Amino acid sequence: MRHDPPGPALAASAALLDRSLTQIADAARDTRAFDRGTVRAAADVWDNNTFPLFRAATGRSGNERERRARAALEWMAQLGPERRAWMVEQGAAAGHRIDALLGPEHPPDSGRRVGAPFPLRRSKRHINAPPSRGNLAGSTRGAAVFVARAMIRMRSSRHPREAAGFPLGACCRALDGAGQDILSAGALPRRLREAAFRSLVAEWLRRGGADLEPHWKQLLQGVPDAGELVRGVRGEP
């Protein structure tokens, strides 16, 4: 089914997710040169930004989706100049002018450590709550939960042994192109959207393959009818 292309803010938001996955995959490709800082920073972006992306992607109209996406980008940039710079840099690498989509830069948060790549977690109380317009339910919410859990799990890989315990490469392979896939599913009419997101989660499981399978239970917590979905992926009756 054809639908209007996403606006610049929504397209940039999806591109940032895909750029994060690329960064994580590259940083974890060689365990001898495991770049924990890059893995943690790229995954940490999606701690509070996964659900706003899904809410933006599932707006009722193109204008609503774009408004939500701009609000989500503004929220993402509030966490400090380094986060904002990362967004602009990664957006440019994907062909997006995120600097043109953001408002004026805010002064640095007083709760930051000097030289820290991102604010201390306790400093989040000093900024606005993440955008929450748009109800996520059913398989749409399940897909958002899956992505958020995957990012949280990848963020916790602090050294090569932990990275080996959770297959970062397989997870990034599973979610490859997730940003664009989320936009495509989100733009569908509501009656088709649920099936699209359910199929998307199933496809993520298939792409992850045997390496990711031991972690399915953790990643699927909160995903509707997870047992049935797993049986379908495995070809079980």
mmCIF file of all heavy atoms in Angstrom, residues 133-179:
data_model
loop_
_atom_site.group_PDB
_atom_site.id
_atom_site.type_symbol
_atom_site.label_atom_id
_atom_site.label_comp_id
_atom_site.label_asym_id
_atom_site.label_seq_id
_atom_site.Cartn_x
_atom_site.Cartn_y
_atom_site.Cartn_z
ATOM 1 N N ARG A 133 2.370 12.149 23.391
ATOM 2 C CA ARG A 133 1.133 12.158 22.624
ATOM 3 C C ARG A 133 1.094 10.959 21.701
ATOM 4 O O ARG A 133 2.053 10.643 21.008
ATOM 5 C CB ARG A 133 1.001 13.447 21.812
ATOM 6 C CG ARG A 133 0.771 14.684 22.669
ATOM 7 C CD ARG A 133 0.638 15.913 21.796
ATOM 8 N NE ARG A 133 -0.509 15.819 20.899
ATOM 9 C CZ ARG A 133 -1.753 16.169 21.231
ATOM 10 N NH1 ARG A 133 -2.003 16.601 22.447
ATOM 11 N NH2 ARG A 133 -2.722 16.067 20.357
ATOM 12 N N GLY A 134 -0.044 10.270 21.700
ATOM 13 C CA GLY A 134 -0.186 9.093 20.852
ATOM 14 C C GLY A 134 -0.192 7.828 21.682
ATOM 15 O O GLY A 134 0.739 7.558 22.426
ATOM 16 N N ASN A 135 -1.252 7.057 21.560
ATOM 17 C CA ASN A 135 -1.393 5.841 22.346
ATOM 18 C C ASN A 135 -0.776 4.657 21.609
ATOM 19 O O ASN A 135 -1.060 4.423 20.440
ATOM 20 C CB ASN A 135 -2.880 5.557 22.606
ATOM 21 C CG ASN A 135 -3.081 4.320 23.454
ATOM 22 O OD1 ASN A 135 -2.376 4.114 24.437
ATOM 23 N ND2 ASN A 135 -4.045 3.502 23.075
ATOM 24 N N LEU A 136 0.092 3.922 22.305
ATOM 25 C CA LEU A 136 0.670 2.712 21.741
ATOM 26 C C LEU A 136 0.056 1.517 22.443
ATOM 27 O O LEU A 136 0.090 1.426 23.669
ATOM 28 C CB LEU A 136 2.191 2.689 21.936
ATOM 29 C CG LEU A 136 2.992 3.774 21.222
ATOM 30 C CD1 LEU A 136 4.473 3.613 21.524
ATOM 31 C CD2 LEU A 136 2.748 3.753 19.721
ATOM 32 N N ALA A 137 -0.491 0.605 21.683
ATOM 33 C CA ALA A 137 -1.133 -0.573 22.260
ATOM 34 C C ALA A 137 -0.923 -1.757 21.341
ATOM 35 O O ALA A 137 -0.482 -1.624 20.194
ATOM 36 C CB ALA A 137 -2.633 -0.308 22.462
ATOM 37 N N GLY A 138 -1.214 -2.943 21.859
ATOM 38 C CA GLY A 138 -1.167 -4.155 21.061
ATOM 39 C C GLY A 138 0.201 -4.429 20.481
ATOM 40 O O GLY A 138 1.239 -4.208 21.113
ATOM 41 N N SER A 139 0.235 -4.892 19.256
ATOM 42 C CA SER A 139 1.484 -5.261 18.604
ATOM 43 C C SER A 139 2.356 -4.047 18.295
ATOM 44 O O SER A 139 3.578 -4.174 18.184
ATOM 45 C CB SER A 139 1.198 -6.036 17.322
ATOM 46 O OG SER A 139 0.589 -7.284 17.623
ATOM 47 N N THR A 140 1.736 -2.876 18.147
ATOM 48 C CA THR A 140 2.520 -1.660 17.936
ATOM 49 C C THR A 140 3.366 -1.371 19.166
ATOM 50 O O THR A 140 4.572 -1.123 19.069
ATOM 51 C CB THR A 140 1.595 -0.475 17.639
ATOM 52 O OG1 THR A 140 0.789 -0.778 16.504
ATOM 53 C CG2 THR A 140 2.400 0.781 17.366
ATOM 54 N N ARG A 141 2.737 -1.441 20.329
ATOM 55 C CA ARG A 141 3.493 -1.255 21.560
ATOM 56 C C ARG A 141 4.501 -2.400 21.741
ATOM 57 O O ARG A 141 5.621 -2.176 22.211
ATOM 58 C CB ARG A 141 2.545 -1.211 22.766
ATOM 59 C CG ARG A 141 3.264 -0.996 24.092
ATOM 60 C CD ARG A 141 2.301 -0.938 25.264
ATOM 61 N NE ARG A 141 3.021 -0.737 26.504
ATOM 62 C CZ ARG A 141 3.421 0.425 26.972
ATOM 63 N NH1 ARG A 141 3.156 1.533 26.282
ATOM 64 N NH2 ARG A 141 4.084 0.535 28.105
ATOM 65 N N GLY A 142 4.111 -3.610 21.373
ATOM 66 C CA GLY A 142 5.016 -4.736 21.495
ATOM 67 C C GLY A 142 6.293 -4.540 20.698
ATOM 68 O O GLY A 142 7.392 -4.866 21.169
ATOM 69 N N ALA A 143 6.182 -4.003 19.491
ATOM 70 C CA ALA A 143 7.369 -3.745 18.681
ATOM 71 C C ALA A 143 8.251 -2.685 19.330
ATOM 72 O O ALA A 143 9.487 -2.791 19.320
ATOM 73 C CB ALA A 143 6.954 -3.308 17.278
ATOM 74 N N ALA A 144 7.617 -1.658 19.911
ATOM 75 C CA ALA A 144 8.383 -0.623 20.604
ATOM 76 C C ALA A 144 9.108 -1.197 21.813
ATOM 77 O O ALA A 144 10.271 -0.868 22.079
ATOM 78 C CB ALA A 144 7.459 0.520 21.028
ATOM 79 N N VAL A 145 8.436 -2.058 22.559
ATOM 80 C CA VAL A 145 9.051 -2.702 23.721
ATOM 81 C C VAL A 145 10.252 -3.536 23.283
ATOM 82 O O VAL A 145 11.307 -3.520 23.929
ATOM 83 C CB VAL A 145 8.009 -3.579 24.451
ATOM 84 C CG1 VAL A 145 8.686 -4.500 25.452
ATOM 85 C CG2 VAL A 145 6.975 -2.699 25.156
ATOM 86 N N PHE A 146 10.112 -4.265 22.195
ATOM 87 C CA PHE A 146 11.197 -5.109 21.694
ATOM 88 C C PHE A 146 12.433 -4.262 21.392
ATOM 89 O O PHE A 146 13.556 -4.592 21.807
ATOM 90 C CB PHE A 146 10.737 -5.851 20.442
ATOM 91 C CG PHE A 146 11.722 -6.860 19.923
ATOM 92 C CD1 PHE A 146 11.566 -8.204 20.204
ATOM 93 C CD2 PHE A 146 12.805 -6.465 19.147
ATOM 94 C CE1 PHE A 146 12.479 -9.148 19.731
ATOM 95 C CE2 PHE A 146 13.715 -7.400 18.667
ATOM 96 C CZ PHE A 146 13.554 -8.739 18.959
ATOM 97 N N VAL A 147 12.251 -3.166 20.655
ATOM 98 C CA VAL A 147 13.384 -2.308 20.304
ATOM 99 C C VAL A 147 14.009 -1.705 21.558
ATOM 100 O O VAL A 147 15.240 -1.682 21.705
ATOM 101 C CB VAL A 147 12.945 -1.199 19.331
ATOM 102 C CG1 VAL A 147 14.093 -0.215 19.084
ATOM 103 C CG2 VAL A 147 12.486 -1.797 18.006
ATOM 104 N N ALA A 148 13.165 -1.216 22.473
ATOM 105 C CA ALA A 148 13.694 -0.600 23.693
ATOM 106 C C ALA A 148 14.475 -1.602 24.520
ATOM 107 O O ALA A 148 15.571 -1.299 25.032
ATOM 108 C CB ALA A 148 12.544 -0.002 24.511
ATOM 109 N N ARG A 149 13.938 -2.812 24.672
ATOM 110 C CA ARG A 149 14.638 -3.839 25.449
ATOM 111 C C ARG A 149 15.958 -4.230 24.779
ATOM 112 O O ARG A 149 16.966 -4.462 25.451
ATOM 113 C CB ARG A 149 13.752 -5.068 25.633
ATOM 114 C CG ARG A 149 12.634 -4.866 26.631
ATOM 115 C CD ARG A 149 11.908 -6.160 26.918
ATOM 116 N NE ARG A 149 10.860 -5.956 27.901
ATOM 117 C CZ ARG A 149 11.053 -5.910 29.210
ATOM 118 N NH1 ARG A 149 12.287 -6.064 29.680
ATOM 119 N NH2 ARG A 149 10.058 -5.709 30.044
ATOM 120 N N ALA A 150 15.960 -4.314 23.467
ATOM 121 C CA ALA A 150 17.191 -4.656 22.757
ATOM 122 C C ALA A 150 18.254 -3.591 22.990
ATOM 123 O O ALA A 150 19.435 -3.911 23.239
ATOM 124 C CB ALA A 150 16.908 -4.807 21.261
ATOM 125 N N MET A 151 17.866 -2.321 22.943
ATOM 126 C CA MET A 151 18.827 -1.246 23.152
ATOM 127 C C MET A 151 19.350 -1.229 24.589
ATOM 128 O O MET A 151 20.545 -1.030 24.831
ATOM 129 C CB MET A 151 18.189 0.095 22.802
ATOM 130 C CG MET A 151 18.017 0.311 21.308
ATOM 131 S SD MET A 151 19.635 0.365 20.465
ATOM 132 C CE MET A 151 19.151 0.861 18.819
ATOM 133 N N ILE A 152 18.457 -1.456 25.546
ATOM 134 C CA ILE A 152 18.885 -1.495 26.947
ATOM 135 C C ILE A 152 19.858 -2.641 27.171
ATOM 136 O O ILE A 152 20.867 -2.495 27.871
ATOM 137 C CB ILE A 152 17.658 -1.617 27.873
ATOM 138 C CG1 ILE A 152 16.866 -0.305 27.851
ATOM 139 C CG2 ILE A 152 18.092 -1.961 29.298
ATOM 140 C CD1 ILE A 152 15.518 -0.400 28.539
ATOM 141 N N ARG A 153 19.552 -3.781 26.561
ATOM 142 C CA ARG A 153 20.448 -4.935 26.730
ATOM 143 C C ARG A 153 21.801 -4.677 26.076
ATOM 144 O O ARG A 153 22.852 -5.034 26.637
ATOM 145 C CB ARG A 153 19.786 -6.179 26.145
ATOM 146 C CG ARG A 153 20.565 -7.456 26.388
ATOM 147 C CD ARG A 153 20.691 -7.738 27.882
ATOM 148 N NE ARG A 153 21.564 -8.892 28.127
ATOM 149 C CZ ARG A 153 22.891 -8.828 28.204
ATOM 150 N NH1 ARG A 153 23.502 -7.668 28.056
ATOM 151 N NH2 ARG A 153 23.600 -9.912 28.447
ATOM 152 N N MET A 154 21.814 -4.066 24.914
ATOM 153 C CA MET A 154 23.079 -3.756 24.260
ATOM 154 C C MET A 154 23.867 -2.715 25.052
ATOM 155 O O MET A 154 25.092 -2.794 25.152
ATOM 156 C CB MET A 154 22.829 -3.280 22.826
ATOM 157 C CG MET A 154 22.388 -4.412 21.899
ATOM 158 S SD MET A 154 22.463 -4.005 20.132
ATOM 159 C CE MET A 154 21.027 -2.962 19.971
ATOM 160 N N ARG A 155 23.170 -1.765 25.629
ATOM 161 C CA ARG A 155 23.844 -0.736 26.421
ATOM 162 C C ARG A 155 24.571 -1.322 27.623
ATOM 163 O O ARG A 155 25.593 -0.790 28.070
ATOM 164 C CB ARG A 155 22.810 0.283 26.907
ATOM 165 C CG ARG A 155 23.392 1.470 27.651
ATOM 166 C CD ARG A 155 22.285 2.359 28.160
ATOM 167 N NE ARG A 155 21.495 1.713 29.188
ATOM 168 C CZ ARG A 155 20.300 2.116 29.585
ATOM 169 N NH1 ARG A 155 19.724 3.153 28.999
ATOM 170 N NH2 ARG A 155 19.652 1.493 30.543
ATOM 171 N N SER A 156 24.096 -2.434 28.152
ATOM 172 C CA SER A 156 24.682 -3.017 29.357
ATOM 173 C C SER A 156 25.950 -3.814 29.075
ATOM 174 O O SER A 156 26.594 -4.288 30.013
ATOM 175 C CB SER A 156 23.661 -3.918 30.055
ATOM 176 O OG SER A 156 23.400 -5.073 29.278
ATOM 177 N N SER A 157 26.318 -3.973 27.806
ATOM 178 C CA SER A 157 27.531 -4.717 27.454
ATOM 179 C C SER A 157 28.740 -3.827 27.696
ATOM 180 O O SER A 157 29.121 -3.016 26.857
ATOM 181 C CB SER A 157 27.476 -5.159 25.991
ATOM 182 O OG SER A 157 26.390 -6.013 25.771
ATOM 183 N N ARG A 158 29.348 -4.000 28.862
ATOM 184 C CA ARG A 158 30.401 -3.091 29.282
ATOM 185 C C ARG A 158 31.799 -3.510 28.832
ATOM 186 O O ARG A 158 32.728 -2.725 28.896
ATOM 187 C CB ARG A 158 30.388 -2.943 30.810
ATOM 188 C CG ARG A 158 29.082 -2.385 31.336
ATOM 189 C CD ARG A 158 29.079 -2.319 32.860
ATOM 190 N NE ARG A 158 27.793 -1.846 33.356
ATOM 191 C CZ ARG A 158 27.465 -0.568 33.470
ATOM 192 N NH1 ARG A 158 28.321 0.369 33.115
ATOM 193 N NH2 ARG A 158 26.284 -0.217 33.932
ATOM 194 N N HIS A 159 31.971 -4.766 28.434
ATOM 195 C CA HIS A 159 33.285 -5.231 28.011
ATOM 196 C C HIS A 159 33.094 -6.434 27.083
ATOM 197 O O HIS A 159 31.975 -6.953 26.942
ATOM 198 C CB HIS A 159 34.164 -5.596 29.204
ATOM 199 C CG HIS A 159 33.502 -6.500 30.201
ATOM 200 N ND1 HIS A 159 33.240 -7.834 29.951
ATOM 201 C CD2 HIS A 159 33.034 -6.240 31.443
ATOM 202 C CE1 HIS A 159 32.656 -8.360 31.012
ATOM 203 N NE2 HIS A 159 32.515 -7.423 31.930
ATOM 204 N N PRO A 160 34.136 -6.894 26.413
ATOM 205 C CA PRO A 160 33.975 -7.959 25.407
ATOM 206 C C PRO A 160 33.305 -9.215 25.923
ATOM 207 O O PRO A 160 32.536 -9.846 25.203
ATOM 208 C CB PRO A 160 35.426 -8.238 24.980
ATOM 209 C CG PRO A 160 36.126 -6.950 25.204
ATOM 210 C CD PRO A 160 35.499 -6.366 26.440
ATOM 211 N N ARG A 161 33.554 -9.605 27.187
ATOM 212 C CA ARG A 161 32.920 -10.834 27.681
ATOM 213 C C ARG A 161 31.412 -10.676 27.774
ATOM 214 O O ARG A 161 30.666 -11.588 27.435
ATOM 215 C CB ARG A 161 33.508 -11.206 29.043
ATOM 216 C CG ARG A 161 34.870 -11.848 28.963
ATOM 217 C CD ARG A 161 35.375 -12.216 30.315
ATOM 218 N NE ARG A 161 35.387 -11.077 31.230
ATOM 219 C CZ ARG A 161 36.004 -11.054 32.409
ATOM 220 N NH1 ARG A 161 36.654 -12.121 32.819
ATOM 221 N NH2 ARG A 161 35.976 -9.982 33.174
ATOM 222 N N GLU A 162 30.962 -9.522 28.250
ATOM 223 C CA GLU A 162 29.521 -9.296 28.299
ATOM 224 C C GLU A 162 28.955 -9.190 26.890
ATOM 225 O O GLU A 162 27.837 -9.635 26.619
ATOM 226 C CB GLU A 162 29.208 -8.035 29.099
ATOM 227 C CG GLU A 162 29.418 -8.191 30.594
ATOM 228 C CD GLU A 162 28.923 -6.980 31.373
ATOM 229 O OE1 GLU A 162 28.301 -6.096 30.762
ATOM 230 O OE2 GLU A 162 29.173 -6.931 32.587
ATOM 231 N N ALA A 163 29.717 -8.579 25.983
ATOM 232 C CA ALA A 163 29.261 -8.487 24.596
ATOM 233 C C ALA A 163 29.124 -9.878 23.996
ATOM 234 O O ALA A 163 28.214 -10.149 23.208
ATOM 235 C CB ALA A 163 30.238 -7.649 23.780
ATOM 236 N N ALA A 164 30.046 -10.772 24.381
ATOM 237 C CA ALA A 164 29.949 -12.148 23.900
ATOM 238 C C ALA A 164 28.737 -12.849 24.491
ATOM 239 O O ALA A 164 28.142 -13.719 23.869
ATOM 240 C CB ALA A 164 31.227 -12.906 24.246
ATOM 241 N N GLY A 165 28.353 -12.464 25.732
ATOM 242 C CA GLY A 165 27.189 -13.074 26.368
ATOM 243 C C GLY A 165 25.883 -12.653 25.731
ATOM 244 O O GLY A 165 24.897 -13.382 25.780
ATOM 245 N N PHE A 166 25.867 -11.466 25.148
ATOM 246 C CA PHE A 166 24.687 -11.009 24.410
ATOM 247 C C PHE A 166 25.155 -10.653 23.002
ATOM 248 O O PHE A 166 26.014 -9.783 22.836
ATOM 249 C CB PHE A 166 24.032 -9.791 25.064
ATOM 250 C CG PHE A 166 22.794 -9.346 24.340
ATOM 251 C CD1 PHE A 166 21.595 -10.007 24.511
ATOM 252 C CD2 PHE A 166 22.841 -8.263 23.461
ATOM 253 C CE1 PHE A 166 20.457 -9.608 23.832
ATOM 254 C CE2 PHE A 166 21.705 -7.857 22.776
ATOM 255 C CZ PHE A 166 20.515 -8.524 22.966
ATOM 256 N N PRO A 167 24.625 -11.309 21.991
ATOM 257 C CA PRO A 167 25.159 -11.158 20.630
ATOM 258 C C PRO A 167 24.801 -9.812 20.004
ATOM 259 O O PRO A 167 23.762 -9.669 19.343
ATOM 260 C CB PRO A 167 24.512 -12.324 19.877
ATOM 261 C CG PRO A 167 23.213 -12.542 20.583
ATOM 262 C CD PRO A 167 23.484 -12.239 22.036
ATOM 263 N N LEU A 168 25.660 -8.833 20.209
ATOM 264 C CA LEU A 168 25.390 -7.502 19.675
ATOM 265 C C LEU A 168 25.242 -7.533 18.154
ATOM 266 O O LEU A 168 24.351 -6.886 17.595
ATOM 267 C CB LEU A 168 26.519 -6.545 20.061
ATOM 268 C CG LEU A 168 26.685 -6.247 21.557
ATOM 269 C CD1 LEU A 168 27.865 -5.318 21.766
ATOM 270 C CD2 LEU A 168 25.423 -5.615 22.120
ATOM 271 N N GLY A 169 26.137 -8.271 17.496
ATOM 272 C CA GLY A 169 26.064 -8.331 16.045
ATOM 273 C C GLY A 169 24.754 -8.918 15.557
ATOM 274 O O GLY A 169 24.140 -8.410 14.611
ATOM 275 N N ALA A 170 24.299 -9.992 16.207
ATOM 276 C CA ALA A 170 23.038 -10.623 15.808
ATOM 277 C C ALA A 170 21.864 -9.696 16.067
ATOM 278 O O ALA A 170 20.911 -9.633 15.273
ATOM 279 C CB ALA A 170 22.852 -11.942 16.561
ATOM 280 N N CYS A 171 21.919 -8.962 17.167
ATOM 281 C CA CYS A 171 20.828 -8.038 17.493
ATOM 282 C C CYS A 171 20.775 -6.896 16.477
ATOM 283 O O CYS A 171 19.696 -6.512 16.013
ATOM 284 C CB CYS A 171 21.010 -7.505 18.908
ATOM 285 S SG CYS A 171 19.534 -6.712 19.578
ATOM 286 N N CYS A 172 21.940 -6.360 16.124
ATOM 287 C CA CYS A 172 21.976 -5.300 15.120
ATOM 288 C C CYS A 172 21.529 -5.828 13.760
ATOM 289 O O CYS A 172 20.852 -5.121 12.998
ATOM 290 C CB CYS A 172 23.385 -4.716 15.031
ATOM 291 S SG CYS A 172 23.877 -3.752 16.468
ATOM 292 N N ARG A 173 21.898 -7.052 13.450
ATOM 293 C CA ARG A 173 21.452 -7.670 12.197
ATOM 294 C C ARG A 173 19.929 -7.824 12.193
ATOM 295 O O ARG A 173 19.266 -7.568 11.180
ATOM 296 C CB ARG A 173 22.118 -9.029 12.020
ATOM 297 C CG ARG A 173 21.732 -9.743 10.722
ATOM 298 C CD ARG A 173 22.496 -11.043 10.559
ATOM 299 N NE ARG A 173 22.090 -12.067 11.520
ATOM 300 C CZ ARG A 173 22.876 -12.579 12.455
ATOM 301 N NH1 ARG A 173 24.126 -12.151 12.593
ATOM 302 N NH2 ARG A 173 22.417 -13.514 13.274
ATOM 303 N N ALA A 174 19.387 -8.231 13.328
ATOM 304 C CA ALA A 174 17.940 -8.403 13.427
ATOM 305 C C ALA A 174 17.207 -7.094 13.185
ATOM 306 O O ALA A 174 16.181 -7.050 12.496
ATOM 307 C CB ALA A 174 17.579 -8.959 14.805
ATOM 308 N N LEU A 175 17.744 -6.009 13.743
ATOM 309 C CA LEU A 175 17.070 -4.714 13.669
ATOM 310 C C LEU A 175 17.553 -3.844 12.516
ATOM 311 O O LEU A 175 17.197 -2.664 12.443
ATOM 312 C CB LEU A 175 17.267 -3.957 14.988
ATOM 313 C CG LEU A 175 16.588 -4.573 16.212
ATOM 314 C CD1 LEU A 175 17.010 -3.837 17.480
ATOM 315 C CD2 LEU A 175 15.073 -4.561 16.064
ATOM 316 N N ASP A 176 18.351 -4.411 11.630
ATOM 317 C CA ASP A 176 18.874 -3.636 10.507
ATOM 318 C C ASP A 176 17.726 -3.001 9.713
ATOM 319 O O ASP A 176 16.794 -3.680 9.293
ATOM 320 C CB ASP A 176 19.689 -4.556 9.589
ATOM 321 C CG ASP A 176 20.323 -3.802 8.434
ATOM 322 O OD1 ASP A 176 20.836 -2.696 8.659
ATOM 323 O OD2 ASP A 176 20.273 -4.312 7.303
ATOM 324 N N GLY A 177 17.801 -1.681 9.537
ATOM 325 C CA GLY A 177 16.741 -0.975 8.815
ATOM 326 C C GLY A 177 15.469 -0.785 9.598
ATOM 327 O O GLY A 177 14.434 -0.423 9.029
ATOM 328 N N ALA A 178 15.526 -0.990 10.927
ATOM 329 C CA ALA A 178 14.307 -0.911 11.740
ATOM 330 C C ALA A 178 13.649 0.456 11.658
ATOM 331 O O ALA A 178 12.416 0.558 11.664
ATOM 332 C CB ALA A 178 14.631 -1.251 13.198
ATOM 333 N N GLY A 179 14.454 1.506 11.587
ATOM 334 C CA GLY A 179 13.865 2.844 11.532
ATOM 335 C C GLY A 179 12.919 2.998 10.358
ATOM 336 O O GLY A 179 11.765 3.433 10.513
#
